Amino acid sequence: MSVVSNIQRILSVAPLRSRTRRARQSHFSQGRKTDINFIITRADLLAPRKEQVDRLMPLLVQILRDALGRAARSVRLGNVRCVSAKRGWWTKQVKADVWKRGGGGWMVGKVNVGKSNLFEVIFPKGRQQDVNLDQFKARARILQPNKSTPLHVAKSTEPNLLPPPRSETAYPIMPTVSSLPGTTASPIRIPFGNGKGELIDLPGLERSTIGAFIREEEQENIMMKARITPEQYTLSPGSSLLLNDLIRITPVNQDITFLAYPFTSMHAHMTRTQKANEVQEGIRAPVSSFAKEGIGGSLKSAGIFQLDTDVTKSRAGPLVRKDAVGLKPTTLPFKVLATDILIESVGWIELVAQVRRKDFPDGNESYTQAAFPAVEVFSPEGRFVASRRSLSAITGASKAANMVNVLKRMRRLKELLDVRLGPGAMVMNPEVKRIHMQFAKKIDNGHMGPRSAACTK
């Protein structure tokens, strides 16, 4: 929901590179050569480790393509970076790219997406010595026009909306970083490299936020400042999930059980759907004091969202792992579907449900959209909610939390392999004279392998 879908038209820049093999990498538009790079900030909220975020890149590119709409179907999206200014993931590469390109680097995005924090990390500080000014001055003298020939420079009549740039220093003062929206009130221009280029931090574009329905003292607590390890909530038929009495998720299917994982700092609790309806109608008082008074009557349906992302391979566990059972996901009698319910400027809730595979024949054209499990989401005025392809973020969180020490696993393995051989390996009754072993030739007898019987004669 933080993507500006028509950013290319708003900035009047050259079109993105198409998927054609001979397509040019860059274009000139209105006398300027511009390139658009998509940067996904705060990647540390998606997974606990950088390697896990890197594995999500193909899925993130596909989600970005879906968010850009029809215009992104025929273009390449190879200029996508997923960075974390807090953890330093891929910020060095972006910083080197800013220095290599030079010119004006504009940071455009919605309010409170982490632009100022990223600005401080990728700005090339202390690199004036990398530029040889004497060489530039020598070339300028060679290209200096004849003084007798008057040089006419056309003055631009367009108003300049940018403030004058700051005086260049090795380590300038960076923009203010805050979790509250609207910290950057006006454009900030900071040059670097003795005129090689400048980085411009623009104020965030306006976005809808659920903060208008939250008490002022709780405004700062709705933002995710660090990655959250969510709890699992089971949505059975007749129950609903409430988040601070502002967001309500109710299953549509009455024969399917849903699992919910809230990746948000909002307090979540389970309740019966009947009670949730009474809170929404104002008959029953809300549980939390997070929202403003009288907000319950403004809750409206934001729509019905289907779980249409197949996550069977990541959720089936040892059934599909090659080092375990090794089955193919297509041979399992069930499918695991998921989706992410987005709450703008707050976080997301991952929803997972298991359905029978026979309800989904092979081929997407063989079944209708009604076969997918779905939930209905209620929010203030029916806004601030959307959905995306599921990132399966809970699988990475559970693996990191449940990882067992390697030495502990090796000790347990040694105990299992420590089988005694020779005399004394088995202690039996002295009356036993021999052991008779029977082997089943077919599985029809109910077992395979040896079956022993102790004999006393």
Side-chain angles (χ1 to χ4, degrees):
M1 301 180 72
S2 300
V3 178
V4 183
S5 58
N6 55 350
I7 183 65
Q8 182 177 339
R9 180 178 58 83
I10 293 176
L11 299 179
S12 300
V13 297
L16 298 175
R17 187 184 181 188
S18 66
R19 293 186 177 183
T20 307
R21 183 168 58 89
R22 292 188 177 91
R24 291 186 298 174
Q25 296 184 0
S26 59
H27 301 267
F28 280 89
S29 177
Q30 301 180 1
R32 297 176 300 175
K33 182 179 179 181
T34 56
D35 296 325
I36 296 181
N37 293 272
F38 297 94
I39 298 181
I40 303 173
T41 59
R42 307 183 70 185
D44 53 293
L45 301 180
L46 301 177
R49 294 194 297 270
K50 176 176 175 294
E51 294 76 13
Q52 293 175 329
V53 176
D54 293 342
R55 287 195 292 266
L56 291 176
M57 279 304 299
L59 183 56
L60 293 175
V61 172
Q62 190 60 42
I63 293 175
L64 177 61
R65 192 179 298 276
D66 295 340
L68 293 176
R70 297 176 55 186
R73 295 179 182 177
S74 59
V75 300
R76 300 187 185 186
L77 290 177
N79 50 351
V80 180
R81 298 286 183 88
C82 190
V83 304
S84 172
K86 180 179 180 180
R87 306 285 292 275
W89 295 346
W90 294 108
T91 53
K92 292 183 179 180
Q93 289 77 1
V94 177
K95 184 176 182 179
D97 191 42
V98 170
W99 174 261
K100 181 179 178 181
R101 291 174 180 268
W106 301 66
M107 302 187 66
V108 182
K110 291 189 177 181
V111 173
N112 213 6
V113 295
K115 298 187 301 297
S116 299
N117 202 353
L118 181 64
F119 187 101
E120 182 178 0
V121 177
I122 67 174
F123 183 83
K125 308 181 187 71
R127 298 196 63 173
Q128 281 80 357
Q129 64 274 14
D130 294 349
V131 180
N132 191 346
L133 289 181
D134 296 335
Q135 184 179 2
F136 284 148
K137 292 178 181 179
R139 292 184 179 181
R141 296 190 190 98
I142 297 175
L143 299 177
Q144 186 176 7
N146 189 0
K147 295 183 180 180
S148 61
T149 305
L151 182 63
H152 299 281
V153 180
K155 296 183 179 180
S156 176
T157 58
E158 297 182 359
N160 189 4
L161 300 180
L162 291 177
R166 299 179 181 178
S167 58
E168 185 172 347
T169 58
Y171 298 93
I173 300 176
M174 293 289 103
T176 304
V177 178
S178 174
S179 59
L180 297 177
T183 306
T184 305
S186 61
I188 299 176
R189 303 173 60 182
I190 303 181
F192 61 86
N194 286 328
K196 179 180 177 65
E198 63 177 350
L199 203 58
I200 305 172
D201 185 14
L202 298 177
L205 302 177
E206 184 180 1
R207 68 187 301 181
S208 58
T209 175
I210 202 173
F213 299 87
I214 300 175
R215 296 179 182 272
E216 295 183 1
E217 57 270 18
E218 300 289 347
Q219 291 283 340
E220 192 174 354
N221 298 329
I222 65 174
M223 292 294 300
M224 288 178 60
K225 299 181 178 61
R227 176 175 168 80
I228 296 175
T229 302
E231 297 182 8
Q232 176 179 296
Y233 296 88
T234 303
L235 288 173
S236 56
S239 62
S240 298
L241 179 66
L242 291 179
L243 281 78
N244 284 119
D245 298 319
L246 286 174
I247 303 296
R248 168 186 157 194
I249 301 177
T250 302
V252 175
N253 307 81
Q254 298 301 321
D255 57 343
I256 298 178
T257 300
F258 295 81
L259 299 180
Y261 305 93
F263 285 87
T264 172
S265 56
M266 301 176 69
H267 174 69
H269 68 277
M270 296 291 303
T271 184
R272 290 190 292 114
T273 303
Q274 181 180 358
K275 290 185 178 180
N277 291 331
E278 294 176 356
V279 173
Q280 183 174 345
E281 296 172 0
I283 301 175
R284 185 185 294 267
V287 177
S288 65
S289 59
F290 194 80
K292 294 181 179 179
E293 297 181 0
I295 297 300
S298 65
L299 294 183
K300 298 180 181 179
S301 175
I304 296 178
F305 301 92
Q306 296 177 333
L307 283 68
D308 52 3
T309 305
D310 191 351
V311 293
T312 307
K313 186 175 181 180
S314 60
R315 298 282 301 187
L319 292 177
V320 296
R321 286 207 311 264
K322 294 183 179 180
D323 58 344
V325 181
L327 298 177
K328 293 184 178 180
T330 55
T331 61
L332 298 176
F334 61 87
K335 293 184 68 173
V336 183
L337 302 176
T339 191
D340 288 347
I341 303 297
L342 306 178
I343 306 175
E344 189 163 11
S345 71
V346 174
W348 75 94
I349 301 99
E350 182 177 339
L351 298 177
V352 184
Q354 181 176 311
V355 296
R356 296 175 298 182
R357 181 171 291 275
K358 66 179 183 179
D359 296 336
F360 294 82
D362 295 335
N364 294 337
E365 68 280 357
S366 302
Y367 56 88
T368 61
Q369 294 290 328
F372 289 104
V375 297
E376 186 174 8
V377 182
F378 296 84
S379 63
E381 300 179 356
R383 302 163 54 198
F384 320 114
V385 175
S387 65
R388 72 179 178 201
R389 299 170 185 253
S390 178
L391 294 176
S392 296
I394 188 60
T395 56
S398 60
K399 289 180 181 178
N402 300 332
M403 184 173 292
V404 184
N405 189 290
V406 177
L407 295 178
K408 185 176 180 180
R409 290 157 57 190
M410 290 301 297
R411 289 193 213 101
R412 179 59 179 165
L413 181 61
K414 185 176 182 300
E415 293 176 359
L416 295 176
L417 296 178
D418 192 9
V419 181
R420 297 180 61 183
L421 301 176
M426 180 182 296
V427 179
M428 302 187 66
N429 195 318
E431 297 180 357
V432 177
K433 303 300 181 182
R434 62 190 179 90
I435 298 177
H436 180 66
M437 309 292 292
Q438 293 179 347
F439 289 84
K441 297 181 179 180
K442 297 182 179 180
I443 198 172
D444 299 339
N445 294 335
H447 67 89
M448 292 202 57
R451 175 180 294 177
S452 63
C455 302
T456 58
K457 295 183 180 179

